[in-house]
């Protein structure tokens, strides 16, 4: 036993001084490898008397356990030390400023939404939001667009389930429904947001943006609608005069319905809004259909009003001279740094919208 005890003491000493995992592993093979010191001691057991063997085997096992234990504790100790040292050395101060600062830009779509919200808030509209994932009832049925109505086909809907109960909203009009269902008239809201249709070319993207407008009260008429849109377009394009024309149209949720064109001309290769003899369609509108009001528990013999839906991306393209809709959604940093806006320059009617 004294031999084994000496071996053990020597190696415990050695291990205590060691601080390298590879070297500890070398010691391990020195002791327990094929020709290791402890392994060889075990081999001797075969050539001694039964009495002695019992004692030596028990002593050897104890030493073996002790040494193996020591080895694994040591390895763990060294590894923890190394990790702590690394953490200490590689500390990053996340509060330090970046060296090469590139200031982010506000995307033109966000800018246009802010401008629109600012303009409408001036005349008493509040901003509402609805989810992108809508149910079929809010997107179509409640808006007087029953199951077999041809307008449903025109919307190229992305359905999310086989029963066609959930979909990506095809327009912002369902926010009218949500707003009226949760409140009591009068209502005077706009609802900007993302909309989706399975369509893609230079002027259509599968995801695009609309802003819905809704004004319901006693005695609201089409004159109010005209006045409101006239004010909005002048403010948005930052011009004093605007040419606007209402063309009869059809939407299931309005009666009568109209599409609105604004006059423009091309001067030196640029679109000038409000002049000239060319017309550009920018929105759909009308007086809210009595059936829609009934569906949202508003009494149509007491209340009435107008609604409109404007394509936001289109307005942004016109105002800021962007000619391909797809560029909006390509997340190209060079494009964004050219067409984007200063984040600190929030649009307001007092400070200016786009300056
Ligand atoms: N939801 C229509 C569309 O996406 C646009 C629209 C037309 C909205 C007339 C309205 C409206 O609120 O009154 O094509």
């Amino acid at each position: 036993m004294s031999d084994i005890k000496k071996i053990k003491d020597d190696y415990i000493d050695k291990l205590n001084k060691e601080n390298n995992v590879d070297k500890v592993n070398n010691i391990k093979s020195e002791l327990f490898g094929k020709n290791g010191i402890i392994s060889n001691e075990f081999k001797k057991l075969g050539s001694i008397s039964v009495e002695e063997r019992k004692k030596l085997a028990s002593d050897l096992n104890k030493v073996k356990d002790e040494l193996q234990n020591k080895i694994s504790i040591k390895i763990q100790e060294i590894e923890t030390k190394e990790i702590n040292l690394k953490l200490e050395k590689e500390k990053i101060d996340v509060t330090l400023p970046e060296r090469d600062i590139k200031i982010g830009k506000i995307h033109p779509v966000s800018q246009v939404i802010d401008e629109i919200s600012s303009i409408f808030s001036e005349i008493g509209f509040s901003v509402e939001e609805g989810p992108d994932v809508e149910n079929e009832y809010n997107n179509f049925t409640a808006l007087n667009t029953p199951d077999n109505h041809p307008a449903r086909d025109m919307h190229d809907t992305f359905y999310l389930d086989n029963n066609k109960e959930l979909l990506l909203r095809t327009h912002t009009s369902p926010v009218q429904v949500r707003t009226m269902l949760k409140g009591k008239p009068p209502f005077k809201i706009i609802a900007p947001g993302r909309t989706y249709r399975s369509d893609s070319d230079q002027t259509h993207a599968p995801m695009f943006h609309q802003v819905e407008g809704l004004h319901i009260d006693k005695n609201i008429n089409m004159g109010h609608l005209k006045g409101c849109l006239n004010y909005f377009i002048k403010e948005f394009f930052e011009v004093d005069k605007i040419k606007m024309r209402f063309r009869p149209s059809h939407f299931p949720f309005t009666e009568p319905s109209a599409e609105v064109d604004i006059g423009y001309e091309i001067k030196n290769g640029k679109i000038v809004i409000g002049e000239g003899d060319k017309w550009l369609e920018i929105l759909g509108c009308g007086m809210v259909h009595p059936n829609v009001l009934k569906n949202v528990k508003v009494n149509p013999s007491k209340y009435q009003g107008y609604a409109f839906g404007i394509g936001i991306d289109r307005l942004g393209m016109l105002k800021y001279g962007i000619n391909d809709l797809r560029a909006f959604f390509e997340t190209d940093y060079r494009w964004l740094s050219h067409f984007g806006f200063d984040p600190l320059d929030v649009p307001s009617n007092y400070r200016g919208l786009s300056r």
Side-chain angles (χ1 to χ4, degrees), residues 155 170-173 176 197 208 210-213 251 253-254 257-258 283-288 306-310:
H155 278 211
T170 57
H171 49 180
T172 42
S173 305
Q176 288 186 28
R197 287 183 205 177
F208 55 105
Q210 285 189 341
V211 57
E212 193 73 14
F251 298 104
F253 29 89
T254 42
S257 305
L283 63 93
C285 62
M287 298 303 290
V288 177
Y306 61 81
F308 55 83
I310 312 176

Side-chain angles (χ1 to χ4, degrees), residues 63-312:
V63 168
K64 179 183 133 195
D65 286 350
E66 237 175 286
L67 282 169
Q68 281 183 340
N69 224 351
K70 178 78 193 170
I71 287 170
S72 51
I73 288 172
K74 191 70 204 180
I75 290 178
Q76 213 165 27
E77 256 175 39
I78 299 172
E79 283 177 349
T80 311
K81 228 192 225 162
E82 278 173 1
I83 288 177
N84 286 340
L85 208 73
K86 226 173 162 182
L87 284 176
E88 190 58 37
K89 269 211 306 227
E90 295 175 8
K91 208 154 61 181
I92 298 171
D93 184 351
V94 290
T95 63
L96 283 175
E98 206 213 321
R99 265 190 233 146
D100 179 19
I101 298 179
K102 287 197 186 76
I103 294 179
K105 289 288 186 93
I106 299 294
H107 194 283
V109 170
S110 307
Q111 168 79 15
V112 170
I113 290 177
D114 287 348
E115 291 180 18
I116 292 173
S117 306
S118 164
I119 294 169
F120 279 107
S121 70
E122 283 294 306
I123 51 168
F125 283 81
S126 56
V127 178
E128 284 288 334
E129 277 183 320
D132 292 10
V133 174
E134 229 344 324
N135 58 48
E136 175 280 330
Y137 181 78
N138 289 345
N139 195 82
F140 289 124
T141 310
L143 290 164
N144 200 31
T145 317
D147 240 355
N148 48 8
H149 198 287
R152 289 208 183 195
D153 295 338
M154 274 153 45
H155 278 211
D156 299 315
T157 311
F158 285 116
Y159 286 97
L160 300 175
D161 61 350
N162 291 337
N163 299 335
K164 297 193 167 180
E165 275 164 10
L166 275 186
L167 45 81
L168 291 173
R169 65 177 178 189
T170 57
H171 49 180
T172 42
S173 305
V175 187
Q176 288 186 28
V177 177
R178 286 177 175 270
T179 305
M180 292 195 280
L181 277 175
K182 73 173 188 214
K184 290 229 172 328
F187 302 103
K188 198 173 181 186
I189 59 117
I190 58 161
R194 282 184 288 267
T195 45
Y196 305 82
R197 287 183 205 177
S198 180
D199 206 354
S200 181
D201 60 37
Q202 196 178 352
T203 53
H204 295 93
M207 193 271 301
F208 55 105
H209 299 81
Q210 285 189 341
V211 57
E212 193 73 14
L214 175 75
H215 187 185
I216 302 286
D217 205 337
K218 294 172 180 159
N219 306 320
I220 297 291
N221 59 46
M222 242 174 138
H224 295 111
L225 168 63
K226 220 169 167 179
C228 166
L229 292 175
N230 191 53
Y231 155 81
F232 166 69
I233 293 164
K234 273 197 322 213
E235 290 290 314
F236 180 78
F237 287 105
E238 299 172 59
V239 292
D240 297 328
K241 252 181 35 212
I242 191 89
K243 269 170 63 177
M244 198 168 78
R245 100 179 157 188
F246 278 60
R247 257 183 308 105
S249 181
H250 176 79
F251 298 104
F253 29 89
T254 42
E255 181 57 43
S257 305
E259 278 171 314
V260 174
D261 302 335
I262 50 171
Y264 75 98
E265 67 179 350
I266 307 274
K267 249 192 199 160
N268 304 325
K270 271 192 165 172
I271 288 189
V272 181
I273 300 287
E275 289 169 39
D277 53 5
K278 291 191 166 60
W279 295 101
L280 202 83
E281 180 202 322
I282 56 159
L283 63 93
C285 62
M287 298 303 290
V288 177
H289 198 294
N291 286 351
V292 175
L293 295 176
K294 278 183 211 152
N295 287 340
V296 294
K297 314 274 181 287
V298 171
N299 183 350
S301 56
K302 255 187 161 167
Y303 289 98
Q304 59 185 326
Y306 61 81
F308 55 83
I310 312 176
I312 290 179

